[in-house]
Amino acid sequence: METTATQLGSTPPPTSPPSAVRPSTCDGTLGRHLARRLVEIGVRDVFSVPGDFNLTLLDHLIAEPQLNLIGCCNELNAGYAADGYARAKGVGACVVTFTVGGLSILNAIAGAYSENLPVICIVGGPNSNDYGTNRILHHTIGVPDFSQEL
């Protein structure tokens, strides 16, 4: 006859929680993680300009009940709004799209950086599968090299 830990009076080994209690693996996306982390550091409003390379992220930010997504008419305005928000609230955040967005927001982010303001600027980009395909994508300068924004 086998002797178990319970029969010997010790605590049985822990068991895994039922699958209904485990977090869903489909909930573990980068966008969901960014949304949660922004809330954790105190961001409540995110300034953005929607674009084809950030739409999925914006969906995750909208889905976060503690975040308010504020659409801006252009990237420079989004950057300066995040700068002002950081001055008033402690930390600001903005989301723009690849190249046109990243380059347009540059002056606002450089100004925030020069004043040591905590502004988080998230810029969307092409899917990793697009790199090395030698294709010309939307928001590029017409060459298959996607590093011009760097």
Side-chain angles (χ1 to χ4, degrees):
M1 175 173 162
E2 284 186 35
T3 305
T4 64
T6 306
Q7 289 172 327
L8 295 175
S10 60
T11 308
T15 58
S16 300
S19 60
V21 177
R22 290 186 199 139
S24 169
T25 56
C26 65
D27 195 33
T29 64
L30 179 59
R32 182 74 184 116
H33 175 74
L34 284 172
R36 287 184 198 145
R37 289 296 292 143
L38 288 171
V39 169
E40 286 175 8
I41 63 171
V43 173
R44 295 297 177 262
D45 299 297
V46 178
F47 303 92
S48 69
V49 178
D52 49 358
F53 291 107
N54 68 11
L55 294 176
T56 302
L57 172 61
L58 295 179
D59 286 342
H60 287 287
L61 298 180
I62 288 170
E64 173 54 55
Q66 295 182 58
L67 282 179
N68 181 32
L69 198 61
I70 300 173
C72 297
C73 61
N74 65 54
E75 292 83 4
L76 190 57
N77 288 353
Y80 284 127
D83 175 301
Y85 191 89
R87 292 171 192 268
K89 304 284 187 172
V91 60
C94 51
V95 178
V96 297
T97 194
F98 181 62
T99 304
V100 65
L103 294 176
S104 294
I105 202 168
L106 196 56
N107 283 336
I109 298 305
Y113 180 80
S114 72
E115 303 236 359
N116 295 315
L117 292 172
V119 173
I120 298 166
C121 181
I122 303 167
V123 181
N127 187 300
S128 59
N129 295 332
D130 291 325
Y131 286 89
T133 61
N134 215 23
R135 296 185 308 156
I136 297 172
L137 297 179
H138 187 58
H139 288 302
T140 64
I141 59 171
V143 296
D145 174 17
F146 304 152
S147 67
Q148 67 270 10
E149 190 173 283
L150 297 175

